[in-house]
Amino acid sequence: MLFSSITFLYYFLPAVLVIYYLAPAKVKNLILFLASFVFYLWGEPKYSVLLLFSVTAGYMGGRCIEYQRQKKCVCAADPADRSGKYKGGHDRLVVGIFTAMTLGLLVFFKYMDFLADSVNRILGTHVPMVQIALPVGISFYTFQIISYYVDVYRGEVAAEHNFVDFAAYVTMFPQLIAGPIVCYEEIEEQLSSRKISARKLGNGAMLFIVGLAKKVILANTMGEIFEQITSTATSNLTVLMAWLGCITYAFQIYFDFSGYSDMAIGLGRMFGFEFRKNFDIPYVSKSVTEFWRRWHISLSSWFREYVYIPLGGNRVTISRNILNLMIVWALTG
């Protein structure tokens, strides 16, 4: 179910909003989770079980990591203080196991055919292809769950003990399909207490409409022009048409991603959540570095926080820093 589809705009979203706003505060997360599951079930019925499995594994993983962390934590004078020195131990093993399991699902569904094809081409073997479709949104909810594991392991957040709240966090339909990647730390407080008002609903709806216009009017129109140009025979392709194809494609991907980012943030606001900006006019960037910081901000932030810095970042030798950058760029690609 796409945000720009008639089914979503005229049936799903209005029905969910009415039920959500009429329901008492204590069941809003449950409604959001159920609505998100229906949203995912509509487009990916055969992979809905995989989504539920990932949510359950993420919830259990957080609880197990917290349990192991508490066993190894030297408690401070105040029992409520979580700043005790951390010695490590089985907690590292637990976070490693759950992270490998969660990441393994992404690797299997997204890269098994790619890896098999690469091996066959290089070694001349005949490794059979899996030939399964990629589950929609698996990259986004995988990254969110992994960041949750790491944050619990670091003691930056407490493990969520309410399964419904955790499920609502992972499956939240405004950002489930196209992002942004929302770390648990960013909305931990919002899950338990958030402001819901008519003004916030209106602001979110306005931002959603702007994003919808970018997607439907601008991105789709640019896409149609680009498709017509690419379908033209090379012998009939003029220089002007080639340049027009380059320009329309550049603006198609720009407005497509910008539109979906606005729609996701707008939808989140309509349900009382505040997501970080995920797209910040990247075509005005003055350098490649600035461009990367402006395009898919949540993705670059995720890799910086959970890959680049743990590897040592730039606080190492030049050769090691170059290796760290290569690892991050390879994984990002």
Side-chain angles (χ1 to χ4, degrees):
M1 191 186 306
L2 300 176
F3 291 162
S4 55
S5 67
I6 297 298
T7 303
F8 180 84
L9 293 173
Y10 286 89
Y11 301 103
F12 179 82
L13 183 59
V16 173
L17 282 173
V18 169
I19 297 172
Y20 182 82
Y21 273 81
L22 291 178
K26 61 182 180 180
V27 298
K28 287 188 185 298
N29 286 347
L30 176 61
I31 293 172
L32 185 59
F33 165 55
L34 294 176
S36 299
F37 185 69
V38 171
F39 175 84
Y40 194 84
L41 188 66
W42 187 276
E44 290 282 5
K46 62 181 179 180
Y47 288 132
S48 57
V49 176
L50 177 64
L51 177 63
L52 288 179
F53 174 80
S54 297
V55 170
T56 304
Y59 173 78
M60 293 176 60
R63 295 292 302 271
C64 291
I65 294 167
E66 183 183 58
Y67 174 73
Q68 291 295 332
R69 186 178 191 279
Q70 289 174 347
K71 287 175 63 177
K72 297 294 182 179
C73 183
V74 179
C75 298
D78 182 2
D81 187 4
R82 296 178 177 271
S83 61
K85 293 183 178 179
Y86 183 54
K87 294 181 178 180
H90 293 305
D91 45 2
R92 294 185 180 182
L93 176 62
V94 172
V95 74
I97 291 174
F98 277 98
T99 299
M101 180 176 63
T102 303
L103 192 60
L105 292 173
L106 175 63
V107 172
F108 176 79
F109 283 97
K110 196 167 188 177
Y111 299 111
M112 280 304 296
D113 283 346
F114 169 75
L115 294 174
D117 182 60
S118 299
V119 170
N120 291 338
R121 289 174 181 271
I122 296 172
L123 302 179
T125 56
H126 299 282
V127 178
M129 300 289 187
V130 180
Q131 294 183 341
I132 53 178
L134 175 67
V136 173
I138 188 171
S139 297
F140 293 104
Y141 66 73
T142 295
F143 285 167
Q144 291 191 179
I145 293 173
I146 291 176
S147 68
Y148 170 72
Y149 291 153
V150 175
D151 288 345
V152 173
Y153 168 77
R154 292 173 175 174
E156 295 178 358
V157 299
E160 179 58 68
H161 289 208
N162 187 311
F163 178 80
V164 172
D165 289 355
F166 181 78
Y169 155 66
V170 176
T171 65
M172 201 178 302
F173 74 86
Q175 50 81 46
L176 177 62
I177 304 300
I181 301 171
V182 180
C183 294
Y184 181 75
E185 183 181 13
E186 299 173 19
I187 64 169
E188 179 183 13
E189 295 183 1
Q190 298 181 55
L191 283 170
S192 57
S193 177
R194 55 187 177 273
K195 183 179 180 181
I196 300 174
S197 63
R199 178 179 293 274
K200 206 169 186 178
L201 174 65
N203 289 338
M206 184 178 297
L207 185 57
F208 176 83
I209 292 171
V210 170
L212 183 65
K214 289 180 181 178
K215 167 63 179 172
V216 176
I217 299 175
L218 298 177
N220 289 358
T221 302
M222 296 289 180
E224 290 178 2
I225 297 173
F226 175 72
E227 289 180 1
Q228 291 179 7
I229 293 175
T230 53
S231 63
T232 303
T234 307
S235 57
N236 298 328
L237 194 64
T238 65
V239 174
L240 180 60
M241 290 176 64
W243 273 109
L244 182 61
C246 293
I247 293 171
T248 52
Y249 179 72
F251 281 104
Q252 178 196 359
I253 61 175
Y254 180 93
F255 287 117
D256 189 87
F257 195 77
S258 177
Y260 264 107
S261 295
D262 287 346
M263 285 190 282
I265 295 173
L267 283 172
R269 192 170 296 169
M270 292 165 72
F271 288 92
F273 292 92
E274 291 292 339
F275 299 150
R276 290 191 302 172
K277 180 184 291 187
N278 198 35
F279 198 80
D280 189 19
I281 324 178
Y283 283 178
V284 303
S285 303
K286 298 180 181 179
S287 66
V288 175
T289 302
E290 184 181 357
F291 178 87
W292 178 237
R293 289 173 180 168
R294 288 173 174 267
W295 187 292
H296 210 331
I297 298 171
S298 64
L299 181 67
S300 58
S301 300
W302 193 94
F303 274 100
R304 183 181 65 249
E305 180 67 25
Y306 298 102
V307 180
Y308 182 66
I309 293 178
L311 287 173
N314 58 2
R315 304 182 305 276
V316 292
T317 62
I318 295 178
S319 58
R320 179 55 190 272
N321 185 32
I322 293 174
L323 177 62
N324 293 344
L325 289 171
M326 291 178 65
I327 292 174
V328 170
W329 281 108
L331 292 175
T332 304

